[in-house]
Amino acid sequence: QVQLVESGGGSVQVGGSLRLSCAASEYTYSIFCMSWFRQAPGKEREGVAYIYTGTGSAYYSNSVKGRFTISHDNAKNTVDLEMNSLKPEDTAMYYCAARSGGGACGFSTAWYTSWGQGTQVTVSS
């Protein structure tokens, strides 16, 4: 099972930016896809972005499209999430997830086989 460690969370004001990073314990090119999810208190975990590490194809939820960018670096075994124009509703614990092997990926937690511990993002007005 892939070990994932997130970093880069913190507190920022509305309109600010943060960059989250997820370090994987194995080469990311051996991982089929990776994703960022978030979970606010009292809410279900929701997918915000995922990327196929082989092709670089990336997909975003409507709530973050145009503001967030997911990217991966196979040399560093990392997947990053650049978050711009942050809003209070972006406040949540952010989790990195990975799917090994083939199949398909998406915004459902069921697709992923490995999870990080999470990093907190707080956006204040």
Side-chain angles (χ1 to χ4, degrees):
Q1 192 173 7
V2 179
Q3 303 299 313
L4 303 171
V5 179
E6 303 97 334
S7 61
S11 297
V12 65
Q13 293 190 325
V14 170
S17 299
L18 281 174
R19 187 178 184 93
L20 306 183
S21 186
C22 174
S25 62
E26 62 185 64
Y27 295 118
T28 53
Y29 61 71
S30 69
I31 300 171
F32 185 59
C33 60
M34 297 186 72
S35 179
W36 285 95
F37 282 75
R38 67 185 181 187
Q39 188 168 20
K43 295 189 176 181
E44 293 188 354
R45 192 169 295 190
E46 65 165 341
V48 296
Y50 64 94
I51 187 168
Y52 289 96
T53 57
T55 64
S57 298
Y59 300 86
Y60 301 90
S61 67
N62 288 335
S63 61
V64 307
K65 194 174 297 182
R67 300 187 298 121
F68 290 12
T69 302
I70 188 171
S71 61
H72 72 100
D73 187 330
N74 284 338
K76 297 180 180 179
N77 301 332
T78 58
V79 172
D80 292 353
L81 186 68
E82 180 74 26
M83 306 185 296
N84 298 314
S85 303
L86 284 163
K87 306 175 181 180
E89 51 264 43
D90 294 319
T91 295
M93 184 72 79
Y94 283 71
Y95 298 89
C96 177
R99 177 180 176 86
S100 299
C105 299
F107 291 128
S108 170
T109 57
W111 289 117
Y112 299 91
T113 53
S114 300
W115 292 85
Q117 294 299 307
T119 185
Q120 178 68 39
V121 171
T122 303
V123 184
S124 57
S125 56

